[in-house]
Amino acid sequence: SQINSKLKVDNILDQWLSAKLNSLIKETTDAMEAYDLPRATRPIAGFVNEFSTWWLRRSRDRFKNLGEDKENALAVFHHTLLELSKVMAPFMPFIAEHVYREINGELESVHLESWPASAKASAGEAQVLEQMEQVRKIVEMGLAKRAEAGIKIRQPLASLKIPSASWRPKLKNQEKFISLIKDE
């Protein structure tokens, strides 16, 4: 379920969200085909958490701006909610219906939609997922150190050093990931 091909998905957060959505659809589909309902539902909560606490929070400024980036952010948001409502429908029918109708209008039902097709994960998607996971761990460690030192989140740091060589980012498109770390 790739994000609409007409969009320019240049933003690293959008690339990550697309990869996460594909992963969610694949995991849920595979588990449902094996009739393993606990394994089918577990990834939904994790996806919603990461979608809201990482992508949405990091994209807030994009929604405030005017122009193509705002349009892309809104389209990615719409597409993600639409596909998420389809994945949630068998397990949370009323919530899925509410989300679907809020973003898609009152005419149809999510329960009349086809199940989203999972796209085969590309090497690039796997790499983006791995790299973003590394960025999120670095940010998490930085926030923990801030809390430990009593430094408020709004106070900018002069520098951030990652001590262990194993934690040093091996990031393709390094500047995009480093800017996310700096923003945090």
Side-chain angles (χ1 to χ4, degrees):
S1 172
Q2 293 289 346
I3 292 175
N4 188 336
S5 60
K6 294 178 184 173
L7 290 176
K8 290 181 186 174
V9 186
D10 293 334
N11 189 297
I12 198 68
L13 287 168
D14 295 347
Q15 293 170 10
W16 171 78
L17 186 61
S18 176
K20 283 303 262 187
L21 182 60
N22 284 335
S23 176
L24 170 71
I25 293 168
K26 182 170 181 4
E27 280 182 66
T28 304
T29 302
D30 292 348
M32 285 184 67
E33 286 175 353
Y35 203 70
D36 187 348
L37 298 181
R39 202 182 69 169
T41 57
R42 208 168 290 125
I44 296 171
F47 178 83
V48 169
N49 183 39
E50 290 182 320
F51 177 48
S52 63
T53 60
W54 186 249
W55 185 86
L56 193 58
R57 186 172 59 81
R58 296 295 330 135
S59 296
R60 257 187 288 200
D61 291 339
R62 296 171 64 200
F63 292 114
K64 294 176 187 173
N65 297 333
L66 296 175
E68 188 177 354
D69 192 42
K70 178 181 181 175
E71 295 303 315
N72 282 338
L74 288 171
V76 167
F77 183 66
H78 181 272
H79 173 79
T80 302
L81 285 178
L82 182 66
E83 296 302 299
L84 179 61
S85 69
K86 294 175 190 178
V87 172
M88 291 183 346
F91 312 108
M92 299 167 251
F94 299 113
I95 293 171
E97 186 70 21
H98 179 74
V99 169
Y100 182 84
R101 286 185 176 210
E102 284 296 316
I103 61 170
N104 220 30
E106 297 287 327
L107 300 176
E108 295 292 321
S109 170
V110 69
H111 304 289
L112 298 175
E113 288 282 345
S114 297
W115 183 257
S118 60
K120 186 173 180 179
S122 68
E125 275 190 355
Q127 189 176 27
V128 167
L129 288 174
E130 183 182 320
Q131 291 171 330
M132 192 64 78
E133 184 64 30
Q134 190 176 19
V135 166
R136 293 187 69 202
K137 284 181 182 176
I138 291 168
V139 167
E140 188 178 307
M141 286 174 31
L143 291 174
K145 287 294 184 187
R146 273 180 176 273
E148 191 178 293
I151 301 171
K152 295 184 175 158
I153 292 176
R154 295 281 180 198
Q155 183 178 350
L157 297 177
S159 66
L160 171 73
K161 294 180 183 172
I162 303 167
S164 170
S166 66
W167 276 100
R168 287 218 172 89
K170 300 172 191 121
L171 305 173
K172 183 182 172 203
N173 299 323
Q174 200 168 13
E175 63 283 344
K176 292 178 182 179
F177 289 107
I178 289 174
S179 75
L180 285 175
I181 295 168
K182 284 179 179 179
D183 285 347
E184 287 292 317

